[in-house]
Amino acid sequence: MTDTSPISGLHAATADLEPPLAAVDLTALRANAADLVRRARGVPIRVASKSVRCRAVLEEVLGDKLTAAGGFAGIMGYSLREAIWLVREGARDVLLGYPTADRHALADLAADPLLLDSITLMVDDTDQLDFIRAAVGSEKIAPRVCLDVDASLRIGPLHLGVRRSPIRTPDQASRLAAETRSRGFRLVGVMTYEAQIAGLPDTNPAVRLVKWASAAEIGKRRRQVLDAVRATAGELELVNSGGTGSIEVSITDPDVTEVTAGSGLYLPTLFDGYRNLAPRPSMYFAAPVLRRPAPGIATVYSGGYIASGPAGASRVPKPVWPLGLKLIGTEGAGEVQTPLTGADGLRIGDRVWFRHAKAGELCERFNEVHLVDADGGRTTVPTYRGEGHNFG
């Protein structure tokens, strides 16, 4: 096992540890962070915590206070409980990417002025405003809120994109903005997430055409939405857009004040088809060989870390080192064992290294991740799970 793959450094640095284990190539992570900043061209990047799920990596990118460093500023959280925890650990700007229905967490938010000033809730429905108001328990409390505006592309009856917000038109956004103000909330921003641009690889001309059409449509409609919201509620602190795969599109709009990215730090396999991303994965996991059930086949422990999304081949982990290994179609990546073909050179106890299909989800499988520097130095840090947190 002596090829020149970048994984060989991770392999050597973790040789004294027992797999399964997760490791991050810090050189690649830092280069990926720098590449995101280059692509953003001066527009601040908000880090998507769901795609990281490790506080030490957030600190690596944002600085030890989880606030801002080198082109990155703020966190996009996915849970209110997570946001509260991060603020208590030093973060001062957490925008929730999704609405919340956690009454207890909302009560905690309402009871702490620091949390109220540091966390922005996401809303797209007046019922959510009613829910929040009932949970905070007082008309005198004014939570910060951001409007989630649907950025999908619609061509006749065809819907291209994710099913997120019911708010799409300028009139709908204006009415919701008026409701937020009349009900005592602080409206500070608007978000548009173009999943059909950020979440699709550039696999063929048809996909690229959809991306182009979608970028043109949301650019025009976002301007109309923002004009309507500002006419109702005044100036906004933030206009958030994009993801790892669509930074270049988002920053062309002068109204966009920040972009969001997270997966681009680890670069999982779902991002392998993007022409605007450097092929520089940073996160891997290793599993030990337990069996040699037949010539050319080795079975490793565990490995069935299937990513969320539509079930299919794109969601399974990919064996990447040693070279030439493949999953078996009839078994795939298993709950407690995973057989692989192309394994003539493997022996009991050897390691196989994999890449996950999505970014932060791998951290839900491990209590710790090993950060490996260019000189082979290793720092072991806890994931969210390792710090005793599971935010769903």
Side-chain angles (χ1 to χ4, degrees), residues 117-152:
D117 285 340
S118 301
I119 296 172
T120 302
L121 304 176
M122 190 65 66
V123 297
D124 58 34
D125 195 308
T126 55
D127 286 349
Q128 294 162 356
L129 298 175
D130 292 339
F131 186 97
I132 295 167
R133 179 60 64 202
V136 301
S138 172
E139 297 292 333
K140 297 180 180 179
I141 294 170
R144 293 167 55 89
V145 296
C146 178
L147 304 187
D148 188 352
V149 174
D150 175 52
S152 62

Side-chain angles (χ1 to χ4, degrees), residues 45-85:
I45 301 172
R46 186 177 292 274
V47 183
S49 62
K50 76 175 182 64
S51 300
V52 177
R53 303 195 199 206
C54 175
R55 194 156 53 88
V57 175
L58 291 174
E59 291 173 349
E60 169 72 30
V61 175
L62 287 166
D64 60 2
K65 294 301 182 185
L66 298 176
T67 50
F72 292 88
I75 296 170
M76 177 171 282
Y78 61 100
S79 158
L80 180 53
R81 288 187 182 275
E82 175 211 21
I84 289 171
W85 173 59

Side-chain angles (χ1 to χ4, degrees), residues 287-291 298-303 336-340 350 352 354:
V289 174
L290 302 181
R291 294 175 167 173
T299 302
V300 300
Y301 178 71
S302 193
V336 290
Q337 67 171 35
T338 298
L340 302 163
D350 283 347
V352 172
F354 295 78

Side-chain angles (χ1 to χ4, degrees), residues 28-336:
L29 179 81
R30 289 163 178 161
N32 289 338
D35 194 48
L36 291 171
V37 171
R38 176 192 62 78
R39 291 171 57 210
R41 299 182 183 178
V43 177
I45 301 172
R46 186 177 292 274
V47 183
S49 62
K50 76 175 182 64
S51 300
V52 177
R53 303 195 199 206
C54 175
R55 194 156 53 88
V57 175
L58 291 174
E59 291 173 349
E60 169 72 30
V61 175
L62 287 166
D64 60 2
K65 294 301 182 185
L66 298 176
T67 50
F72 292 88
I75 296 170
M76 177 171 282
Y78 61 100
S79 158
L80 180 53
R81 288 187 182 275
E82 175 211 21
I84 289 171
W85 173 59
L86 290 173
V87 169
R88 288 173 175 167
E89 293 292 341
R92 292 296 177 267
D93 179 10
V94 184
L95 169 66
L96 287 191
Y98 314 87
T100 183
D102 189 329
R103 295 178 178 86
H104 292 171
L106 285 166
D108 289 344
L109 174 78
D112 188 332
L114 177 61
L115 297 178
L116 282 168
D117 285 340
S118 301
I119 296 172
T120 302
L121 304 176
M122 190 65 66
V123 297
D124 58 34
D125 195 308
T126 55
D127 286 349
Q128 294 162 356
L129 298 175
D130 292 339
F131 186 97
I132 295 167
R133 179 60 64 202
V136 301
S138 172
E139 297 292 333
K140 297 180 180 179
I141 294 170
R144 293 167 55 89
V145 296
C146 178
L147 304 187
D148 188 352
V149 174
D150 175 52
S152 62
L153 175 64
R154 297 183 186 177
I155 304 175
L158 188 62
H159 180 107
L160 300 176
V162 295
R163 299 286 182 173
R164 289 177 67 103
S165 170
I167 302 301
R168 181 173 180 84
T169 68
D171 286 346
Q172 290 172 326
S174 177
R175 288 196 297 270
L176 184 57
E179 289 291 338
T180 63
R181 296 197 69 186
S182 68
R183 299 181 192 209
F185 292 84
R186 288 180 284 170
L187 178 59
V188 300
V190 167
M191 181 180 77
T192 56
Y193 174 53
E194 313 91 331
Q196 69 279 5
I197 302 175
L200 283 178
D202 304 305
T203 50
N204 57 61
V207 170
R208 292 192 284 276
L209 178 61
V210 166
K211 287 188 172 187
W212 174 84
S214 185
E217 189 277 334
I218 187 56
K220 178 180 179 181
R221 181 159 53 86
R222 180 167 44 221
R223 158 56 65 178
Q224 296 169 345
V225 165
L226 290 173
D227 285 346
V229 170
R230 287 169 175 148
T232 301
E235 283 304 310
L236 302 169
E237 292 181 24
L238 65 94
V239 177
N240 180 281
S241 180
T244 288
S246 62
I247 288 176
E248 290 87 353
V249 173
S250 297
I251 64 172
T252 61
D253 188 336
D255 280 311
V256 171
T257 65
E258 61 179 44
V259 293
T260 298
S263 295
L265 297 170
Y266 293 155
L267 279 181
T269 61
L270 281 174
F271 285 83
D272 285 351
Y274 286 74
R275 297 188 301 172
N276 57 342
L277 298 177
R280 194 188 295 116
S282 68
M283 176 173 268
Y284 303 84
F285 71 92
V289 174
L290 302 181
R291 294 175 167 173
R292 292 300 315 269
I297 296 178
T299 302
V300 300
Y301 178 71
S302 193
Y305 309 146
I306 309 301
S308 62
S314 67
R315 261 53 186 183
V316 300
K318 179 181 179 180
V320 291
W321 200 75
L323 301 177
L325 298 172
K326 293 183 179 180
L327 297 171
I328 295 176
T330 54
E331 295 194 51
E335 179 183 5
V336 290

